[in-house]
Amino acid sequence: MAIVRKLALGALLASGAMLAMPASAKTVVLSHFTLIDGTGRAPVRDAALIIENKRITWVGPAVRLKAPKGAKIRNLAGKFVMPGLIDSHVHLGLVDGITQDLKYYTRENVERQLRLYAAYGVTSVQVLGTDKDEIHDIVRDIRADPAGRARVWTAGRGVVFKGSYGGVPGLDAQVATPAEAKAMVDREAAKGADFIKLWVDDEFGSLPDRMPPAISTAVIDEAHKLSKKAIAHVFYLDNARELTREGIDGFAHEVRDAPMDTQLLSDMKAKGVWQIAATLSREASFTYDLLPFVDDPFFSRGVTPAVIDQLKDPTRRKRLASGPNFPKYPGVLNLAMANFAREAKAGIPYGMGTDSGPTARFPGYFAHWELELMVKAGVTPLQALTAATGRNAQLMHATNVGTLQAGKAADLLVLDKDPTRDIRNTRTIDMVFVAGERVPTIWQTCTGRPADACGAAGR
Ligand SMILES: [Zn+2]
């Protein structure tokens, strides 16, 4: 009976009757898929959901589906449906290809990157402190209608202590005193920052200072006074300890100089400090040989042939390998992975974030690689997927996304293969929906550039 009804509706739609029913044109029904809903619960077979006016209005077993009249029904038997991925740590508009320059921070370039994220199934991103003020207009626009772009949460400009590590050249308004720090937090919040970012690092001791506690305390307290969360870039164990004491809300990277101890883990847990991003792909990108990537169409479709040539260029590779910190990175990556595993085991809430956006840290692709590295570090594929969806939404206070439940935005992925069996199956993207609209996947497009700019063929 259900099949007969579906066929009849299909015939109706095919005959062009949809044109006569504009009110239902945006109603889409997906059915007979395996549901991974982003809450962390186990996948549910033979599920269905209804999308009306950009939102999910019903999710449940396919046998209980009552499809609205005139809905476009897609039978997704054998497929897997999950929430769009959320990358909780990115930077936008910093590069053209792999050339980094703040002059590339234009609305056009930012929006091209947001479409690229969406093509990779990353339907929301959180930008950590390197946005120009233009971002707030873009965010307002996207909140009204994403129109194929990934949604954005932003810290505006993050707080950098004078002479220490952080920010990007040309954008920094570095602070030297607690009063300046507070004023900057006020300014960014007034402009529309969703949260506040600060950096506490000295780049392997190569810079004279790290942000002192008097400043980080001022930043955190002022953020909290304005009901904003404060998220810190950290590297060192002692800074993580101090920031936890000061009331930080989350860390944007793992501690990477030493193993985290049980005291810090229990303090973080007691004070509700989140590991918002492990950025394992960031650390791995400083150690890896890029060459295996260039032959992977899932990667190369996201970049131009010129980028592939640059990545293969022996001169560039030699220059990177002779950098003063290059020999340190394998150890840094190992510590990051081990500390992430310790946190997961200790019950510290964690999200998924890549720190993609700076040169050679590729939007979208890195999110899939990050998931793979998280699983390699010791969590299950389902835990990694939950971090990248429901958990990330929770920590970002992104209440309209992250899970597939009635009332949430219809941001979702249709996959050919089960990502809870093999995390690399997140790459088998069949469809991406943002706000109920299908957007071109990375298998169907090349970053919005002309088709002949594709670095490689499809699947
Ligand atoms: Zn970052």
Side-chain angles (χ1 to χ4, degrees), residues 87 90-91 95-99 113 116-117 120 122 281-282 285 288 290 293-294 298-300 302-304 307-308 310-311 316 354-369:
D87 190 335
V90 311
H91 301 279
V95 293
D96 180 22
I98 56 171
T99 311
Q113 291 184 341
L116 179 58
Y117 275 110
Y120 273 106
V122 179
S281 50
R282 171 197 198 268
S285 79
Y288 70 161
L290 280 159
F293 280 30
V294 301
F298 190 64
F299 172 79
S300 54
V303 298
T304 60
V307 167
I308 300 283
Q310 283 170 291
L311 294 178
R316 177 180 181 275
T354 59
D355 204 4
S356 56
T359 183
R361 307 220 295 267
F362 298 93
Y365 183 87
F366 265 42
H368 295 268
W369 192 27

Side-chain angles (χ1 to χ4, degrees), residues 253-258 260 278-281 283-284 329-343 377:
H253 302 282
E254 293 293 336
V255 165
R256 290 158 284 163
D257 68 321
M260 290 169 102
T279 68
L280 304 176
S281 50
E283 313 315 330
Y329 288 126
V332 166
L333 171 62
N334 284 340
L335 274 167
M337 289 180 83
N339 281 336
F340 170 64
R342 279 185 189 96
E343 290 178 308

Side-chain angles (χ1 to χ4, degrees), residues 267-280:
D267 289 349
M268 284 175 68
K269 209 172 167 187
K271 299 198 89 173
V273 182
W274 286 54
Q275 188 63 48
I276 72 149
T279 68
L280 304 176

